[in-house]
Amino acid sequence: MKIYSNRIDGDARIDGDPELFLDPSDLLEPGEILPPLELAELETTGAAHEAAITELEGIGVRARLLIADEYAGIANVLRDAAASPDPWVGPDPTQDHAWLDPQGRSTAVVRAERRNIAVRAAALELAVRLGMSENIVRTRAAHADTLRERCPNIWEAFRAGRVNERNASSAAQQAATLPARSTDAWARFDEQLAGSAQTLASGKFRTRARVVRDRVHPEHIDERHKRAKDERNTWFQPEPDGMASFTVFTTADKVMLVQRYAEAHARHLRAQDGEERTLAQLRADVVLDLITRGMSIRTETSAWRARASVAITVPVMTLLGHDDEPATLDGYGPIDTETARQLAGGASSWVRILTHPVTGTVLDVDRTAYRVPKALQRWLGVRDQVCTGPGCLRSARDCDIDHRLDWQYGGKTADTNLSPLCERHHVIKTKSKWVLYRDEATGAKWWVSPTALTVPVDPPPF
């Protein structure tokens, strides 16, 4: 911390906190000045700073080398899984000349599925061992393969520690969208970005990579735009403190129209007497008002009705106002008490589940929703909340209800033998060497991977 004297204002400030002042008399006597640093001391200090910075540069290079090695290693494991599926999915039945597929599929189709499932099983294994999501594992493998094939100069610089991960990722993302057979476009893209990938900051390089990609792309933007429109989508992301993000990916003209409307309307409201909300708050409120107003109008003027049913679990004493234990919103987590009471009080599209204030036992499951799942499915959704696949956060209501021990092998349709599994993990459990076990005495569950790694089933996150 540096303390310096402000002789003009007659005060002294502590660096890093300009609002904190000290009495100058505590620092220097009147007329006294700070002694100058000796030249040798300055040189020593400068040399120490330079050495520290040089050391950090070396750490950065080593870190980039390790990250690049990780990308390459992940890609190699998944490539090997596709080339040799047996360790991940078991022996190939098509090798038996007497084999006939129960579904009537050809040998080529069955072998292609085996390769796909093997890659999925291997990606799940890597995700668990490396502490990543499966999406990150698959993305890193795809980026490594793209750079290796389409951008060899950037890939070589990445492997040598001269390109950081963000720039390598940006280059791979843009290169992957070039046509599959446009090797000339790949070469020009790689050539024009190989230098800037090593020198530009991540934000600037991301913009440059997008511009270069548009410049070298052999197709007209009109054709590309038609295809890109098919990728429009929305994403929901839970955030802390009862908040969440909602992202919309669609055509730029519509997004800009909404943004400019929200900005103009927010500024209009901000200018009104008594308005205390900030522009940021007003923009968010305006956009949400547009959506919810449209939902209300459509519901009132047509036969359209929302089919989605969202569960909210509320401790009964909280609902009655005698406790403040938080409620939980299905697919999100804890929410504030007032919102929980409002939701549990009226809307028919909400499934209300009351729990005992001490034991947590389900006391009542509301049966007034439009489409009511079976009681056992409701209970599994309350008990497990999310997919029981390793690391998966897909809501139980969006999962298949899987028999841990298959029905055809004597598995019972009971809560002790049932768990929610998303489509991806359901397929992996059914068709790969990943196995789900359960201790009948304690109820504990765990997975065993194809490489014999034991992975306990995560408890519900909420």
Side-chain angles (χ1 to χ4, degrees), residues 75 88 109 119 123 175 212 338 449:
W88 304 97
V109 169
V119 170
V212 170
E338 183 58 32
S449 77

Side-chain angles (χ1 to χ4, degrees), residues 91-334:
D92 184 358
T94 66
Q95 298 292 337
D96 185 349
H97 296 293
W99 169 83
L100 291 175
D101 182 60
Q103 301 175 32
R105 297 172 299 174
S106 68
T107 298
V109 169
V110 171
R111 288 180 177 176
E113 181 190 63
R114 283 171 47 80
R115 290 193 295 270
N116 179 272
I117 301 300
V119 170
R120 291 193 196 186
L124 179 56
E125 177 97 27
L126 288 172
V128 172
R129 289 183 178 270
L130 300 179
M132 301 177 182
S133 71
E134 292 171 70
N135 284 338
I136 290 179
V137 168
R138 298 290 293 269
T139 297
R140 291 191 173 187
H143 285 177
D145 289 339
T146 297
L147 291 175
R148 184 187 288 111
E149 179 184 18
R150 302 188 176 193
C151 305
N153 292 322
I154 296 176
W155 175 246
E156 180 182 355
F158 182 41
R159 294 303 311 275
R162 298 194 301 271
V163 173
N164 65 49
E165 181 184 9
R166 290 186 178 181
N167 285 3
S169 178
S170 294
Q173 288 174 357
Q174 296 298 328
T177 64
L178 292 171
R181 297 182 180 180
S182 297
T183 55
D184 182 59
W186 302 351
R188 286 186 289 137
F189 179 86
D190 184 32
E191 180 182 354
Q192 293 183 33
L193 288 175
S196 54
Q198 303 176 52
T199 58
L200 287 183
S202 300
K204 289 185 176 181
F205 179 76
R206 183 168 57 251
T207 299
R208 175 160 174 75
R210 177 170 54 82
V211 170
V212 170
R213 178 260 188 190
D214 285 337
R215 186 184 300 152
V216 303
H217 204 294
E219 291 182 280
H220 194 274
I221 190 171
D222 291 350
E223 296 299 321
R224 288 183 271 134
H225 182 66
K226 289 179 182 177
R227 288 199 307 275
K229 285 175 64 176
D230 293 338
E231 302 298 324
R232 57 190 183 276
N233 202 350
T234 63
W235 296 273
F236 166 77
Q237 175 64 45
E239 305 288 357
D241 303 324
M243 304 296 284
S245 300
F246 183 72
T247 302
V248 179
F249 175 74
T250 187
T251 57
D253 59 323
K254 293 181 179 179
V255 173
M256 291 300 297
L257 181 64
V258 172
Q259 173 64 18
R260 288 174 179 173
Y261 175 86
E263 181 70 26
H265 197 46
R267 290 186 179 277
H268 169 74
L269 294 174
R270 188 73 180 89
Q272 305 306 306
D273 292 338
E275 180 58 70
E276 297 181 351
R277 289 174 292 178
T278 66
L279 278 174
Q281 293 169 343
L282 286 165
R283 282 194 296 267
D285 292 345
V286 167
V287 172
L288 265 295
D289 285 346
L290 281 172
I291 296 174
T292 54
R293 192 183 309 132
M295 291 168 56
S296 176
I297 292 173
R298 189 171 183 181
T299 301
E300 293 173 358
T301 60
S302 71
W304 178 86
R305 292 291 185 274
R307 300 295 187 183
S309 177
V310 181
I312 176 173
T313 303
V314 189
V316 67
M317 300 303 287
T318 297
L319 189 61
L320 296 175
H322 300 312
D323 201 351
D324 60 359
E325 182 180 352
T328 58
L329 182 63
D330 181 33
Y332 173 76

Side-chain angles (χ1 to χ4, degrees), residues 345-406:
S348 61
S349 61
W350 292 85
V351 179
R352 295 175 288 246
I353 304 172
L354 303 184
T355 59
H356 191 281
V358 177
T359 66
T361 302
V362 175
L363 297 178
D364 179 58
V365 177
D366 188 353
R367 303 184 187 280
T368 62
Y370 175 80
R371 182 178 293 178
V372 182
K374 296 179 181 179
L376 184 55
Q377 292 176 322
R378 285 271 181 85
W379 163 240
L380 293 172
V382 172
R383 184 192 69 184
D384 296 317
Q385 299 188 27
V386 297
C387 170
T388 53
C392 188
L393 283 175
R394 178 65 62 89
S395 174
R397 63 186 172 86
D398 297 326
C399 293
D400 302 329
I401 300 300
D402 172 66
H403 287 73
R404 182 183 57 82
L405 178 61
D406 290 351

Side-chain angles (χ1 to χ4, degrees), residues 376 400-408 410-414 416-421 426 429-430 436:
L376 184 55
D400 302 329
I401 300 300
D402 172 66
H403 287 73
R404 182 183 57 82
L405 178 61
D406 290 351
W407 174 269
Q408 60 183 325
K412 297 180 180 180
T413 303
T416 56
N417 191 48
L418 297 175
S419 296
L421 281 176
H426 197 171
K429 173 185 171 293
T430 303
L436 177 61

Side-chain angles (χ1 to χ4, degrees), residues 27-45:
L27 303 176
L28 300 172
E29 295 295 331
E32 184 181 1
I33 61 172
L34 290 172
L37 292 173
E38 296 292 336
L39 180 59
E41 188 175 351
L42 284 173
E43 291 177 349
T44 301
T45 302

